[in-house]
Amino acid sequence: MRDKYSGRIATRVALADGATVRKALVAAHRARPAMAAFPPDARRDVLEHCVRRFGERAEELALALCIEAGKPIRDARGEVTRLIDTFRIAAGEATRIQGEVLELQVSERARGYRGMVKRVPIGACSFITPFNFPLNLVAHKVAPAIAAGCPFVLKPAAKTPVGALIIAGVLAETDLPKGAFSVLPCSNEDAAQLVEDERIALLSFTGGLVGWELKTRAGKKKVTLELGGNAACIVDADPGADLDHVVERLVSGAYYQSGQSCISVQRIIAHADVYPALRRKLKAAVAKLRMGDPRDERTFIGPMIDEAAAKRVEKWIRDARKGGAKLLVGGDREGNMLPAALLENVPRDADLYRREVFGPVACLEAFDDFDDALARANDSDFGLQAGVFTASLAHAMRAWDRLEVGGVVIGDVPSFRVDSMPYGGVRDSGLGREGVKSAIGDMTEPRLMVIRDPS
């Protein structure tokens, strides 16, 4: 594994072969009864142990994240905080997986019958996670699985495996049953078993549009997908907040982690009344963003995950400019370092507008009518989250009603996420919802019991 800033080898990680992956799948399948019988309070205790240990190793985790992902150290510490939050939330949910009592006496023939439903673990799960949040996106699969009582096999991203392995080391300190978990860096070819093996009851994948192809290969198992977006943020004529605050949030949402986030602000749609001032303030703020060594506490823009990714974004910027877009802020790429870029009036058929850029770029445009702004935000193959800055309750409610996304954030950027909330999208953004409680719902299934009173 290479340091994403220096390019030097930082550490070496073992690569599991196909036989090892098969062994892990067999172990997870065999561990189903033991995990289902593992009491909820014991699952909670495992998760609380992780919370304590992650807190004790917080700086180590942050530095590993800084090196393996190139994430600026301040942001890396923030992700460690979210890792801890996610396990803490899961610890609370582990003893709150509720059932219900059903009234079955709906007609004369059902008199004397009672119904009760409990939720039981779905079985062995397979997880595939991406490079951009190698701690917290792992946590959003692993922590709910433990709370639900599901054994699992996890394949972390090839470019960022270290954080997942540290999490696995902490799990190994607990009393989880034998075979309950495996964390295996491996090739995509060997990981095919995680998709296709019939012993797996649920596949949870976070990554690119290849997820749809994985779904077709998954057979009978349940599949949840989080596949990205090109999030829009609308700034209304009265944004409901000071414009400097709006700019601060837009800059954070668009350029945090070099834009390598599924809910990064990619399209800014601003009312004509505020557009000139917003444009001027955005230009000044973006131009001041410091790019450099992610270990430096002052760095905001670190390296992209590799040079190929930076070259792709550079090309999309170049193509958009050829199509008539104006570059307001930007600079020359150096290896995998790409300065923050802000463009105006990007053509709607440009890759930079239509596809997920996953880089430090935002597109700015003006609107006159709020309904038109909503239509522009919906003009996308994706639908993960959207943001709306508005002082109008009517506009906020209309946005909630009409924006075709999994989540609408009023008064902030679409990049906002709390780890307990339902998170996911529609259309090409995926299928199903994450967030601890939602994930536990996917990892459990209802089991009905009917009792007849013979008296």
Side-chain angles (χ1 to χ4, degrees), residues 42-107:
R43 301 174 198 170
R44 178 200 61 205
D45 292 347
V46 166
L47 293 161
E48 288 181 346
H49 171 83
C50 292
V51 169
R52 288 192 297 273
R53 294 290 286 131
F54 296 154
E56 292 166 0
R57 300 178 66 176
E59 195 62 20
E60 174 193 356
L61 283 159
L63 184 58
L65 179 55
C66 179
I67 293 170
E68 72 168 345
K71 183 171 293 193
I73 188 63
R74 290 183 302 170
D75 296 334
R77 293 189 184 111
E79 185 172 341
V80 173
T81 298
R82 289 187 61 193
L83 164 71
I84 294 169
D85 283 348
T86 302
F87 271 80
R88 181 181 290 116
I89 294 164
E93 293 293 341
T95 55
R96 288 200 296 263
I97 300 175
Q98 305 292 336
E100 61 177 326
V101 176
L102 303 177
E103 178 55 77
L104 297 182
Q105 299 182 103
V106 298
S107 66

Side-chain angles (χ1 to χ4, degrees), residues 27-193:
H29 185 71
R30 289 177 176 169
R32 290 174 303 141
M35 274 298 287
F38 198 57
D41 66 303
R43 301 174 198 170
R44 178 200 61 205
D45 292 347
V46 166
L47 293 161
E48 288 181 346
H49 171 83
C50 292
V51 169
R52 288 192 297 273
R53 294 290 286 131
F54 296 154
E56 292 166 0
R57 300 178 66 176
E59 195 62 20
E60 174 193 356
L61 283 159
L63 184 58
L65 179 55
C66 179
I67 293 170
E68 72 168 345
K71 183 171 293 193
I73 188 63
R74 290 183 302 170
D75 296 334
R77 293 189 184 111
E79 185 172 341
V80 173
T81 298
R82 289 187 61 193
L83 164 71
I84 294 169
D85 283 348
T86 302
F87 271 80
R88 181 181 290 116
I89 294 164
E93 293 293 341
T95 55
R96 288 200 296 263
I97 300 175
Q98 305 292 336
E100 61 177 326
V101 176
L102 303 177
E103 178 55 77
L104 297 182
Q105 299 182 103
V106 298
S107 66
E108 184 177 353
R109 75 179 187 87
R111 287 176 186 169
Y113 287 87
R114 300 168 184 258
M116 289 169 279
V117 176
K118 66 176 179 177
R119 298 202 67 87
V120 299
I122 195 170
C125 301
S126 60
F127 302 142
I128 301 175
T129 53
F131 70 82
N132 57 325
F133 287 87
L135 295 177
N136 202 41
L137 293 182
V138 167
H140 270 284
K141 301 184 189 303
V142 168
I146 294 170
C150 293
F152 64 87
V153 181
L154 166 73
K155 176 195 178 297
K159 292 183 173 67
T160 55
V162 174
L165 293 171
I166 295 175
I167 291 171
V170 171
L171 287 175
E173 300 169 355
T174 72
D175 295 327
L176 283 171
K178 181 180 179 181
F181 72 95
S182 297
V183 176
L184 299 177
C186 62
S187 70
N188 289 339
E189 291 74 22
D190 289 327
Q193 298 173 78

Side-chain angles (χ1 to χ4, degrees), residues 204-381:
S204 179
F205 173 84
T206 301
L209 294 177
V210 68
W212 295 117
E213 192 266 329
L214 299 183
K215 181 175 178 290
T216 66
R217 293 162 44 196
K220 300 175 184 177
K221 62 179 64 64
K222 181 186 283 190
V223 177
T224 62
L225 304 172
E226 200 276 276
L227 306 180
N230 62 352
C233 191
I234 298 170
V235 182
D236 208 354
D238 181 354
D242 180 80
L243 208 55
D244 288 334
H245 171 74
V246 174
V247 167
E248 177 188 349
R249 295 302 296 147
L250 288 171
V251 169
S252 176
Y255 303 103
Y256 165 79
Q257 196 175 310
S258 295
Q260 296 172 120
S261 169
C262 298
I263 43 178
S264 169
V265 176
Q266 186 167 330
R267 297 176 293 145
I268 303 169
I269 306 168
H271 194 278
D273 289 353
V274 298
Y275 188 86
L278 182 73
R279 180 182 184 273
R280 183 178 68 255
K281 290 175 180 289
L282 271 175
K283 279 182 64 177
V286 175
K288 291 178 182 176
L289 294 179
R290 183 184 180 94
M291 183 174 72
D293 186 341
R295 293 177 183 81
D296 189 330
E297 299 278 353
R298 300 168 296 175
T299 294
F300 190 90
I301 300 286
M304 294 188 64
I305 194 63
D306 56 32
E307 188 170 4
K311 284 182 176 179
R312 173 187 55 79
V313 177
E314 180 185 47
K315 181 181 184 300
W316 286 9
I317 293 172
R318 185 168 60 247
D319 291 347
R321 296 180 70 185
K322 288 179 181 177
K326 182 178 181 180
L327 182 68
L328 301 179
V329 182
D332 295 330
R333 176 184 62 83
E334 297 180 11
N336 63 341
M337 302 291 295
L338 186 69
L342 177 67
L343 290 93
E344 184 177 45
N345 298 326
V346 175
R348 293 197 197 176
D349 61 351
D351 285 339
L352 202 64
Y353 192 94
R354 299 216 64 80
R355 298 174 68 183
E356 183 179 40
V357 66
F358 227 64
V361 184
C363 307
L364 179 63
E365 58 185 299
F367 74 90
D368 293 303
D369 177 76
F370 189 74
D371 287 340
D372 177 53
L374 296 177
R376 293 194 207 180
N378 283 336
D379 183 19
S380 171
D381 294 330

